[in-house]
Coordinates of all heavy atoms in Angstrom, one line a residue:
A8 N 49.9 55.8 142.3 CA 49.6 54.5 143.0 C 48.2 54.5 143.5 O 47.4 53.5 143.3 CB 50.6 54.3 144.2
A9 N 47.7 55.7 144.1 CA 46.4 55.8 144.5 C 45.4 55.7 143.4 O 44.3 55.0 143.5 CB 46.2 57.0 145.3
R10 N 45.7 56.4 142.3 CA 44.8 56.4 141.2 C 44.7 55.0 140.5 O 43.6 54.5 140.2 CB 45.3 57.4 140.1 CG 44.4 57.6 138.9 CD 43.0 58.1 139.3 NE 42.1 58.1 138.1 CZ 40.8 58.4 138.2 NH1 40.3 58.7 139.3 NH2 40.1 58.4 137.1
E11 N 45.8 54.4 140.3 CA 45.8 53.1 139.7 C 45.1 52.0 140.5 O 44.6 51.0 140.0 CB 47.3 52.6 139.4 CG 47.9 53.5 138.3 CD 49.4 53.1 138.0 OE1 49.9 52.3 138.8 OE2 49.9 53.6 137.0
A12 N 45.1 52.2 141.8 CA 44.5 51.3 142.7 C 43.0 51.6 142.9 O 42.2 50.9 143.6 CB 45.1 51.3 144.1
D13 N 42.5 52.7 142.2 CA 41.1 53.1 142.3 C 40.7 53.5 143.7 O 39.6 53.2 144.1 CB 40.2 52.0 141.7 CG 38.9 52.6 141.3 OD1 38.8 53.7 140.9 OD2 37.9 51.8 141.3
C14 N 41.6 54.2 144.4 CA 41.4 54.6 145.7 C 40.4 55.8 145.7 O 40.4 56.6 144.8 CB 42.7 55.0 146.4 SG 43.8 53.7 146.8
N15 N 39.7 56.0 146.8 CA 39.0 57.2 147.1 C 39.8 57.9 148.2 O 39.6 57.8 149.4 CB 37.6 57.0 147.5 CG 36.7 56.8 146.4 OD1 36.0 57.7 145.9 ND2 36.6 55.6 145.8
L16 N 40.8 58.7 147.7 CA 41.9 59.2 148.6 C 41.4 60.5 149.2 O 41.0 61.5 148.6 CB 43.1 59.4 147.8 CG 44.4 59.9 148.6 CD1 44.9 58.9 149.5 CD2 45.5 60.3 147.6
V17 N 41.6 60.6 150.6 CA 41.3 61.8 151.3 C 42.6 62.0 152.2 O 42.9 61.3 153.1 CB 40.1 61.7 152.3 CG1 39.9 62.9 153.1 CG2 38.8 61.4 151.5
V18 N 43.3 63.1 151.8 CA 44.5 63.4 152.5 C 44.3 64.4 153.6 O 43.6 65.4 153.4 CB 45.6 64.0 151.5 CG1 46.9 64.4 152.2 CG2 45.9 62.9 150.4
L19 N 44.8 64.2 154.8 CA 44.8 65.1 155.9 C 46.2 65.6 156.2 O 47.1 64.9 156.2 CB 44.2 64.4 157.2 CG 42.9 63.6 157.0 CD1 42.5 63.1 158.4 CD2 41.8 64.5 156.4
S20 N 46.3 66.9 156.4 CA 47.6 67.6 156.5 C 47.6 68.7 157.6 O 46.5 69.1 158.0 CB 48.1 68.2 155.2 OG 47.9 67.3 154.1
G21 N 48.8 69.1 157.9 CA 48.9 70.3 158.8 C 50.1 71.1 158.4 O 50.3 71.4 157.2
D22 N 50.9 71.6 159.4 CA 52.2 72.2 159.2 C 52.2 73.6 158.7 O 52.9 74.5 159.2 CB 53.1 71.4 158.2 CG 54.5 71.9 158.1 OD1 55.2 71.9 159.0 OD2 54.8 72.4 157.0
S23 N 51.3 74.0 157.8 CA 51.4 75.3 157.1 C 50.8 76.5 157.9 O 51.0 77.6 157.6 CB 50.8 75.3 155.7 OG 49.4 75.4 155.8
H24 N 50.0 76.2 158.9 CA 49.3 77.1 159.8 C 48.1 77.7 159.1 O 47.3 78.4 159.7 CB 50.2 78.3 160.2 CG 51.5 77.9 160.9 ND1 52.4 78.8 161.3 CD2 51.9 76.6 161.2 CE1 53.5 78.1 161.8 NE2 53.2 76.8 161.8
N25 N 47.9 77.5 157.8 CA 46.8 78.0 157.1 C 45.8 76.9 156.6 O 46.2 75.7 156.6 CB 47.3 78.8 155.9 CG 48.2 79.9 156.3 OD1 47.7 80.9 156.8 ND2 49.5 79.8 156.0
A26 N 44.6 77.3 156.2 CA 43.6 76.3 155.8 C 43.5 76.2 154.3 O 43.4 77.2 153.6 CB 42.2 76.7 156.4
W27 N 43.7 75.0 153.8 CA 43.7 74.7 152.3 C 42.7 73.6 152.0 O 42.8 72.5 152.7 CB 45.0 74.4 151.8 CG 46.2 75.3 152.3 CD1 47.1 74.9 153.3 CD2 46.5 76.6 151.8 NE1 48.0 76.0 153.4 CE2 47.7 77.0 152.5 CE3 46.0 77.4 150.8 CZ2 48.3 78.2 152.3 CZ3 46.6 78.6 150.6 CH2 47.7 79.0 151.4
G28 N 42.0 73.7 151.0 CA 41.2 72.6 150.4 C 41.7 72.3 149.0 O 41.5 73.1 148.1
N29 N 42.5 71.3 148.8 CA 43.1 71.0 147.5 C 42.5 69.8 146.8 O 42.2 68.8 147.5 CB 44.6 70.7 147.8 CG 45.4 71.9 148.1 OD1 45.4 72.9 147.3 ND2 46.1 71.9 149.2
E30 N 42.3 70.0 145.5 CA 42.0 68.8 144.7 C 43.3 68.3 144.1 O 44.0 69.0 143.4 CB 41.0 69.3 143.6 CG 39.7 69.7 144.2 CD 38.6 70.1 143.2 OE1 39.0 70.6 142.1 OE2 37.4 70.0 143.5
L31 N 43.5 67.0 144.3 CA 44.7 66.3 143.8 C 44.5 65.6 142.5 O 43.5 64.9 142.3 CB 45.2 65.4 144.9 CG 45.3 65.9 146.3 CD1 45.6 64.8 147.4 CD2 46.4 67.0 146.4
A32 N 45.5 65.7 141.6 CA 45.3 65.1 140.3 C 46.6 64.5 139.8 O 47.7 65.0 140.3 CB 44.8 66.1 139.3
I33 N 46.6 63.6 138.9 CA 47.8 63.0 138.3 C 47.5 63.0 136.8 O 46.5 62.3 136.4 CB 48.1 61.6 138.9 CG1 49.3 61.0 138.2 CG2 46.9 60.7 138.8 CD1 50.6 61.7 138.6
E34 N 48.3 63.7 136.0 CA 48.2 63.8 134.6 C 46.7 64.2 134.2 O 46.2 63.6 133.3 CB 48.6 62.5 133.9 CG 50.1 62.2 134.1 CD 50.5 60.8 133.6 OE1 49.6 60.0 133.2 OE2 51.7 60.6 133.5
G35 N 46.2 65.1 134.9 CA 44.8 65.6 134.6 C 43.7 64.8 135.2 O 42.5 65.2 135.1
A36 N 44.0 63.6 135.7 CA 42.9 62.8 136.3 C 42.8 63.0 137.8 O 43.8 63.0 138.5 CB 43.2 61.3 136.0
A37 N 41.6 63.2 138.2 CA 41.3 63.4 139.7 C 41.8 62.2 140.5 O 41.5 61.0 140.2 CB 39.9 63.6 139.9
A38 N 42.6 62.5 141.5 CA 43.2 61.4 142.3 C 42.7 61.4 143.8 O 42.9 60.5 144.5 CB 44.7 61.5 142.3
G39 N 42.1 62.5 144.2 CA 41.6 62.6 145.6 C 41.6 64.1 146.0 O 41.8 65.0 145.2
V40 N 41.3 64.3 147.3 CA 41.2 65.6 147.8 C 42.0 65.7 149.1 O 42.4 64.7 149.7 CB 39.7 66.0 148.2 CG1 38.8 66.0 146.9 CG2 39.1 65.1 149.3
E41 N 42.3 67.0 149.5 CA 43.1 67.2 150.7 C 42.4 68.2 151.6 O 42.1 69.3 151.1 CB 44.5 67.7 150.3 CG 45.3 68.0 151.5 CD 46.7 68.5 151.1 OE1 46.8 69.2 150.1 OE2 47.7 68.3 151.9
Y42 N 42.2 67.9 152.8 CA 41.9 68.8 153.9 C 43.1 69.2 154.6 O 43.6 68.4 155.5 CB 40.8 68.2 154.8 CG 39.5 68.0 154.2 CD1 39.2 66.7 153.7 CD2 38.5 68.9 154.1 CE1 38.0 66.4 153.1 CE2 37.2 68.7 153.5 CZ 37.0 67.4 153.0 OH 35.8 67.1 152.4
A43 N 43.7 70.3 154.3 CA 44.9 70.8 155.0 C 44.5 71.7 156.1 O 43.9 72.8 155.9 CB 45.9 71.5 154.0
G44 N 44.8 71.3 157.3 CA 44.3 72.0 158.5 C 45.1 73.2 158.9 O 46.3 73.2 158.7
H45 N 44.4 74.2 159.3 CA 45.1 75.4 159.9 C 45.6 75.1 161.3 O 45.3 74.0 161.8 CB 44.1 76.6 159.9 CG 42.7 76.3 160.4 ND1 42.1 75.1 160.1 CD2 41.8 77.0 161.1 CE1 40.9 75.1 160.6 NE2 40.7 76.2 161.2
S46 N 46.3 76.0 161.9 CA 46.9 75.7 163.2 C 46.0 76.0 164.3 O 45.0 76.7 164.2 CB 48.1 76.6 163.3 OG 47.7 78.0 163.4

């Protein structure tokens, strides 16, 4: 949905206690990025 809408998606997350920087994709196409925060 984000890719088809041509969004510039930035996802913010927590929960895992660790720090992650994820590149999100759908069927090989870049869909956005994620800043997953540490605790």
Side-chain angles (χ1 to χ4, degrees):
R10 182 65 187 174
E11 290 178 352
D13 202 24
C14 290
N15 277 265
L16 183 67
V17 177
V18 177
L19 310 183
S20 312
D22 182 68
S23 80
H24 306 176
N25 301 287
W27 314 101
N29 285 304
E30 294 182 331
L31 307 171
I33 180 73
E34 296 177 349
V40 299
E41 177 181 34
Y42 294 93
H45 43 323
S46 63

